[in-house]
């Protein structure tokens, strides 16, 4: 239902309903269309986890193709990925990302800042308003997301992922874990990788559940956030599982289901 909470932002103390969340995504997709983004155009983002990363990912994949970048990338890395994806715009946080902004300027890629208010509403600062542009709904075979291989054995290679790919992956996770609208997922994986985007985020939204989206993973505050938000599951890699188990020492609240963590 519209009133169901879609996202909880612990840092902001904001709880965003599905109705408001859908409106944000559609609004940003329309703003991207007003900036000239068309189906197939790559929208690069360089953001920490949280509301801006989630809203911009969905809006970019709706209006064009999302190309999220690691916020830890240096100038040369950002320059490479902007060129390799042929990004049309770069979305940045209000503070930081100086090297990314410089790389975008040198590459001739327009840069826009995402602003987030206390209620968790994310907007593109400086986006043209009132142009009547509406982003058209994508088809299943359109590319939703561009990621890259790790580059451990050579130059990183683009991996295009279609909307249908993401939908099938999310559905498999929902079915495997029997996720329902009553489930609350704690997002600890970065949202510039498919694990965080699909296993934690899209699967939760497909099930109609609630996503808790802190800006950074913090092993010290993890169990407290689990308790406060009544999270029922999380998805992570073995390193994070081991770190949390080592620090729990009896602090794990009842109901937190480590056994459902997706690896």
């Amino acid at each position: 239902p519209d009133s169901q909470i879609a996202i909880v932002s612990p840092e902001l103390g904001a709880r965003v309903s599905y109705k408001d969340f859908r409106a944000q995504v559609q609004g940003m997709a329309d703003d991207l269309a007003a900036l000239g983004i068309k189906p197939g155009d790559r929208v690069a983002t360089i953001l920490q986890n949280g509301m801006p990363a989630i809203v911009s990912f969905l809006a970019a994949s709706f209006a064009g193709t999302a190309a999220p970048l690691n916020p830890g990338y240096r100038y040369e890395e950002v320059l490479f990925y902007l060129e390799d994806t042929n990004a049309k715009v770069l979305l940045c946080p209000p503070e930081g990302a100086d090297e990314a902004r410089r790389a975008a300027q040198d590459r001739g890629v327009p840069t826009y800042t995402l602003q987030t208010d206390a209620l968790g509403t994310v907007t593109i600062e400086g986006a043209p308003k009132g142009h009547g542009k509406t982003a058209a709904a994508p088809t299943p075979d359109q590319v939703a997301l561009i990621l890259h291989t790790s580059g451990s054995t050579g130059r990183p290679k683009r991996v295009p992922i279609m909307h249908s790919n993401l939908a099938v992956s999310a559905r498999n996770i929902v079915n495997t874990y029997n996720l329902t609208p009553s489930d609350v997922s704690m997002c600890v994986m970065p949202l510039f990788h498919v694990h965080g985007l699909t296993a934690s985020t899209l699967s939760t939204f497909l099930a109609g559940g609630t996503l808790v989206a802190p800006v950074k993973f913090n092993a010290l505050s993890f169990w407290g956030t689990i308790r406060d938000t009544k999270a029922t599951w999380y998805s992570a890699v073995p390193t994070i599982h081991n770190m949390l188990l080592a620090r729990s020492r009896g602090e794990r609240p009842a109901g937190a289901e480590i056994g459902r963590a997706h690896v």
Side-chain angles (χ1 to χ4, degrees):
D2 287 348
S3 59
Q4 168 85 356
I5 298 300
I7 304 176
V8 174
S9 172
E11 290 83 5
L12 293 174
R15 298 169 62 84
V16 180
S17 69
Y18 270 94
K19 180 181 179 179
D20 291 342
F21 180 46
R22 283 193 291 267
Q24 283 195 53
V25 172
Q26 182 66 63
M28 186 177 291
D30 292 345
D31 286 347
L32 288 171
L35 291 172
I37 298 300
K38 304 180 296 297
D41 288 345
R42 282 73 185 269
V43 177
T45 57
I46 191 152
L47 302 161
Q48 299 282 356
N49 279 17
M51 284 294 302
I54 297 167
V55 174
S56 63
F57 159 61
L58 291 172
S61 67
F62 192 92
T65 298
L69 304 179
N70 185 338
Y73 282 156
R74 307 295 294 224
Y75 169 86
E76 293 80 6
E77 294 169 307
V78 177
L79 199 64
F80 164 76
Y81 288 111
L82 291 178
E83 179 179 2
D84 198 59
T85 59
N86 192 27
K88 301 301 182 184
V89 298
L90 174 66
L91 303 181
C92 295
E95 299 178 357
D98 294 337
E99 294 194 41
R101 292 176 188 274
R102 184 163 61 91
Q105 181 177 14
D106 291 348
R107 172 70 185 159
V109 176
T111 301
Y112 294 90
T113 298
L114 297 186
Q115 297 288 353
T116 308
D117 66 19
L119 298 177
T121 302
V122 185
T123 54
I124 302 176
E125 187 178 76
K129 301 293 183 182
H131 283 218
K133 293 278 189 178
T134 301
T139 60
D141 61 348
Q142 285 181 322
V143 177
L145 175 65
I146 290 284
L147 296 175
H148 281 79
T149 60
S150 63
S152 56
T153 59
R155 183 171 174 152
K157 299 174 180 63
R158 290 189 306 277
V159 180
I161 304 173
M162 297 186 298
H163 284 274
S164 58
N165 298 143
L166 292 175
V168 169
S169 295
R171 173 57 65 188
N172 287 339
I173 293 167
V174 170
N175 291 340
T176 298
Y177 296 136
N178 296 317
L179 299 180
T180 72
S182 63
D183 278 304
V184 179
S185 171
M186 176 77 161
C187 182
V188 298
M189 296 298 293
L191 293 173
F192 51 84
H193 283 310
V194 73
H195 186 156
L197 292 171
T198 304
S200 298
T201 304
L202 293 181
S203 61
T204 298
F205 296 150
L206 183 60
T210 299
L211 181 73
V212 180
V215 172
K216 291 183 179 180
F217 167 69
N218 185 329
L220 293 176
S221 62
F222 177 87
W223 293 118
T225 304
I226 289 282
R227 180 192 62 241
D228 294 343
T229 60
K230 297 180 172 58
T232 59
W233 73 290
Y234 74 96
S235 175
V237 292
T239 301
I240 290 179
H241 296 319
N242 290 333
M243 187 183 304
L244 291 172
L245 288 171
R247 290 186 178 275
S248 64
R249 296 178 184 175
E251 298 173 13
R252 177 164 52 113
E257 302 180 38
I258 291 181
R260 293 173 60 183
H262 172 71
V263 178

